[in-house]
Amino acid sequence: MHRKIFQVALVAAMILPSAVSHAEDMNEDYPVPASEMKMRDPFVIADQEDGCYYIITSRWKDGRGGLAAYKSRDLKNWRDEGFVFNAAPDYLGTDDFWAPDTYKYKGDYYVFVTLSNKSRGILRGTTILKSVSGSVLGPYEPVLPADRLNVTPDYLQSLDGSLYVDDDGNPWIIYAVEWCGPNVSEKVGEVWAQRLKEDLTDTCGEPHRLFRASDSQWALHIGGGEMITDAPFIWKDRKSGNLIMTWSSFAPSYSIGQAVSRSGNVLGPWEHEPVPLFSSDGGHQMIFEDLDGNLKISFHSPNSAKGDIRETLTIRDIRIKDGKFEPLDGTYDGYSDIPERISNPVRTKDGQPLAVADPFVFRHKGLYYLTGTGGDGGFDYYTSTDLVTWEYGGPLFRKSQDHPGTSSFWAPEVTRYQGRYYLSYSCFMPEKEKMLTCLAVSDYPAGPYRELYTPWFDFGYSAIDSHIFVDDDGIPYLYYSKNYPLDGKCAVGEIYAVKLRKDLSGPDGEPVFISGASQAWEKVRWDVNRCNEGPEVFKHDGRYYMTYSANDTGYEYYGVGVSYADSPLGPWTKSKDNPLMTTDLEKGISSPGHNSLIRTPDGQLYIIYHRHADPDCRKPDWNRVVCVDRLGIDRKGRIVYERD
């Protein structure tokens, strides 16, 4: 419980903001786990507008080639959306239908796909299809006239065309030229580039050869002596200005390599990295940012003969360092700079302990952001690459002059939802005579955040420590602590949860009681404090986990507990092993609590919490610093504390 008890008048009426209308629930089912997505050449589209992911893949119907789509909310579970293109009986493209790459360009969706017509002697090449509806789900139609199949040169046998748009807005097609086609020497594949017209209906200018497979040090001759070039794809590193091209070949297993254009020009020169990014029998990759802005690589693994059902969608985190991608295999773990041992409290760049209460951490584009309770006018933020050393970033949110809150701006949290960032927090509103939760919004993780609902809702009592959790089906839930005085002297905090409207305009239903002080460790001073607060929820292997804090943060008996449930609204059961964390003066830990949780890209779970700056000082004590420790989940599905 925080350091004030607010007198409240409990009323039955629920006051909700009316700025946005009620939205329909979505009960969509995504029955196909990524581990069962058997496909070659997966290309992921992250649609910021609807907060979903899509993959368009090859599929045959009635003896004709076509394209079908899959949809996901979390990259883990997918749903078959059916055909988005099926070739007409007289369509010139009759063979292959390989490697469909999907792009949003100038507001429209386009698919680059490899086609040929063996009976007419038309070599493999890349054609372009356009969505006629403006939706990623099509339907798609060819942009080329009926008597022309591919946009790539007809004298080259090519495949795996991809789109790159340079800084001047010029579109380019990047494609591989096959080792087995005409006009290629020594059975060595090549990579070429050519400008496209602005509307993507044709090329303009001459094609340019960028490099041959033999220019790299890692690609090997296979089979009959051929060297393969597959799946060229360009990603621009905005920090260095480099263009990074990923491409696939054999070394000797199917592998992913990279070449770098330090000039930032698509024509190079291209310098090859000496070792592959990935060499464990997988490839045909692409790079994308997920809906949280984190960099990902998608490819199929293992690689095998065409149509083999072992080939599976694989998605990994990937990082850029010094203007190039860091390897995904070998000795590098590919994930995190977080040291094996963390010395607490964590510190700022000038070596001072990070003095923030109620710390909340989230990750965007490989950077960690931290905010928390500070002054009475809003919130600041810090950034870090390793969770250990933090740099001040500036204001995250500042209240407007007419904001009804006057003090006690507490416990900010940032949630990315449907392409935008939402800041939830609580503050004291004198006109209401209670603490109420507010919601602000921004298009960027570091803000600035503008007020959206102040207050967000009013159930007739003080509500603090709001936490938004979005389930796998896209339904958002809010968890918070109901605060009230008992007999004018005992502070009570109870955790509640409520389903939210899809547009976040307010609750969708009545709040559900989750927990109050009930275990022995939560009853140290039962006469003055009966508090559960600071809920934080995540999902793991179909089970819901909640960490929460109990008792009074100003005293030495504050700590962290754990609850489990099979559904977001419960019922929730407290762990018999509680508390997860509590005061341990021998190790300098006094009153750990009000935590947030974060998973690093390698799946490691961390708890970020505050504790007293001086564990030996007189209580109550409101001077708090930030600490970070590892958590684990054991074989029985229980959260365990992994602090040394």
Side-chain angles (χ1 to χ4, degrees), residues 16-266:
L16 298 175
S18 58
V20 187
S21 62
H22 180 76
E24 280 190 292
D25 292 345
M26 291 185 67
N27 297 311
E28 297 167 323
D29 187 23
Y30 296 84
V32 185
S35 61
E36 296 180 8
M37 292 278 283
K38 305 300 182 182
M39 60 176 59
R40 298 173 66 91
D41 316 333
F43 194 99
V44 179
I45 309 102
D47 191 316
Q48 294 285 350
E49 293 184 5
D50 68 0
C52 293
Y53 302 94
Y54 297 89
I55 292 176
I56 291 180
T57 187
S58 302
R59 186 178 294 175
W60 290 80
K61 180 181 180 181
D62 300 329
R64 304 194 305 275
L67 305 174
Y70 287 86
K71 179 180 180 180
S72 172
R73 289 191 176 276
D74 58 6
L75 296 176
K76 299 176 183 177
N77 300 287
W78 296 79
R79 183 179 68 204
D80 190 339
E81 296 287 337
F83 277 87
V84 297
F85 173 76
N86 190 215
D90 60 348
Y91 183 55
L92 194 56
T94 58
D95 300 293
D96 301 328
F97 283 85
W98 292 351
D101 292 3
T102 308
Y103 303 89
K104 192 171 187 179
Y105 170 75
K106 292 187 177 296
D108 291 307
Y109 283 96
Y110 295 84
V111 174
F112 286 47
V113 60
T114 298
L115 298 173
S116 66
N117 187 316
K118 296 177 182 177
S119 65
R120 297 195 184 185
I122 300 176
L123 298 175
R124 268 193 290 271
T126 294
T127 197
I128 302 174
L129 310 175
K130 180 180 179 180
S131 172
V132 297
S133 69
S135 166
V136 66
L137 295 178
Y140 288 83
E141 293 183 354
V143 302
L144 299 179
D147 60 351
R148 183 179 176 198
L149 181 56
N150 292 317
V151 72
T152 45
D154 57 11
Y155 58 87
L156 293 174
Q157 182 164 299
S158 60
L159 74 169
D160 298 350
S162 63
L163 175 68
Y164 173 71
V165 182
D166 65 25
D167 289 343
D168 294 324
N170 301 313
W172 294 78
I173 183 170
I174 317 299
Y175 54 93
V177 173
E178 287 194 271
W179 61 272
C180 54
N183 302 305
V184 173
S185 61
E186 300 174 334
K187 297 184 179 180
V188 175
E190 302 171 344
V191 172
W192 288 56
Q194 190 168 6
R195 277 274 306 276
L196 291 167
K197 290 184 176 180
E198 187 175 357
D199 61 4
L200 307 188
T201 58
D202 204 350
T203 56
C204 55
E206 295 298 316
H208 302 267
R209 186 173 71 184
L210 304 184
F211 60 81
R212 308 179 75 211
S214 56
D215 293 338
S216 72
Q217 299 180 36
W218 61 270
L220 301 177
H221 293 274
I222 61 171
E226 63 270 18
M227 297 186 76
I228 306 298
T229 49
D230 280 353
F233 180 92
I234 294 178
W235 183 266
K236 179 158 187 176
D237 174 29
R238 296 294 173 184
K239 183 176 180 179
S240 67
N242 291 354
L243 301 186
I244 312 171
M245 183 188 297
T246 58
W247 61 288
S248 296
S249 190
F250 288 82
S253 296
Y254 201 43
S255 303
I256 303 168
Q258 64 178 322
V260 177
S261 171
R262 291 181 170 79
S263 68
N265 191 317
V266 69

Side-chain angles (χ1 to χ4, degrees), residues 271-286:
E271 302 173 14
H272 292 267
E273 287 300 299
V275 296
L277 287 173
F278 183 81
S279 58
S280 300
D281 197 22
H284 200 110
Q285 73 302 316
M286 56 85 62

Side-chain angles (χ1 to χ4, degrees), residues 524-537:
V524 178
R525 297 192 64 187
W526 187 251
D527 57 329
V528 296
N529 188 282
R530 305 176 187 181
C531 194
N532 278 187
E533 63 181 20
E536 182 85 1
V537 174

Side-chain angles (χ1 to χ4, degrees), residues 307-571:
D308 193 304
I309 61 172
R310 294 186 304 137
E311 294 186 308
T312 306
L313 167 66
T314 304
I315 297 175
R316 297 271 298 271
D317 288 87
I318 193 168
R319 294 190 307 176
I320 296 175
K321 186 176 182 179
D322 299 329
K324 58 187 178 182
F325 292 119
E326 291 202 304
L328 296 175
D329 53 8
T331 57
Y332 168 65
D333 65 10
Y335 296 117
S336 159
D337 283 329
I338 300 172
E340 187 67 26
R341 293 179 178 270
I342 298 174
S343 179
N344 282 314
V346 297
R347 298 180 180 270
T348 59
K349 291 192 74 174
D350 59 3
Q352 298 301 310
L354 184 56
V356 174
D358 311 330
F360 181 82
V361 171
F362 64 102
R363 181 172 174 263
H364 175 78
K365 292 189 176 181
L367 194 64
Y368 297 98
Y369 292 77
L370 182 147
T371 187
T373 299
D376 281 336
F379 310 103
D380 294 335
Y381 76 95
Y382 297 78
T383 61
S384 174
T385 59
D386 59 7
L387 292 179
V388 174
T389 303
W390 294 88
E391 182 175 7
Y392 179 69
L396 186 76
F397 168 78
R398 291 292 183 265
K399 70 173 185 175
S400 64
Q401 291 184 347
D402 59 352
H403 194 294
T406 59
S407 61
S408 301
F409 279 70
W410 290 348
E413 293 200 7
V414 173
T415 303
R416 192 181 187 286
Y417 178 70
Q418 294 187 347
R420 308 183 80 185
Y421 296 85
Y422 291 88
L423 173 70
S424 58
Y425 62 94
S426 57
C427 62
F428 180 64
M429 299 187 180
E431 292 184 0
K432 301 281 188 177
E433 295 186 335
K434 52 181 171 279
M435 295 284 293
L436 289 176
T437 293
C438 303
L439 190 69
V441 65
S442 176
D443 292 325
Y444 305 98
Y449 287 80
R450 61 177 178 83
E451 294 162 15
L452 188 59
Y453 300 117
T454 51
W456 191 7
F457 57 87
D458 185 350
F459 293 120
Y461 48 74
S462 285
I464 65 171
D465 298 352
S466 55
H467 169 70
I468 299 172
F469 167 74
V470 182
D471 206 353
D472 294 341
D473 58 6
I475 296 176
Y477 296 85
L478 182 72
Y479 299 80
Y480 64 91
S481 178
K482 170 185 175 180
N483 275 201
Y484 62 94
L486 182 65
D487 299 329
K489 62 178 182 179
C490 180
V492 178
E494 298 171 338
I495 295 175
Y496 279 77
V498 66
K499 182 180 175 182
L500 291 171
R501 296 174 180 172
K502 290 298 298 297
D503 56 16
L504 300 188
S505 61
D508 183 14
E510 294 294 325
V512 176
F513 174 79
I514 299 299
S515 70
S518 59
Q519 294 184 317
W521 73 280
E522 302 171 340
K523 299 180 179 181
V524 178
R525 297 192 64 187
W526 187 251
D527 57 329
V528 296
N529 188 282
R530 305 176 187 181
C531 194
N532 278 187
E533 63 181 20
E536 182 85 1
V537 174
F538 72 97
K539 189 175 183 180
H540 176 75
D541 285 346
R543 193 183 194 193
Y544 297 85
Y545 293 72
M546 177 189 295
T547 58
Y548 66 95
S549 295
N551 296 309
D552 190 324
T553 188
Y555 293 86
E556 63 273 14
Y557 43 83
Y558 200 53
V560 176
V562 178
S563 292
Y564 306 99
D566 293 324
S567 67
L569 297 179

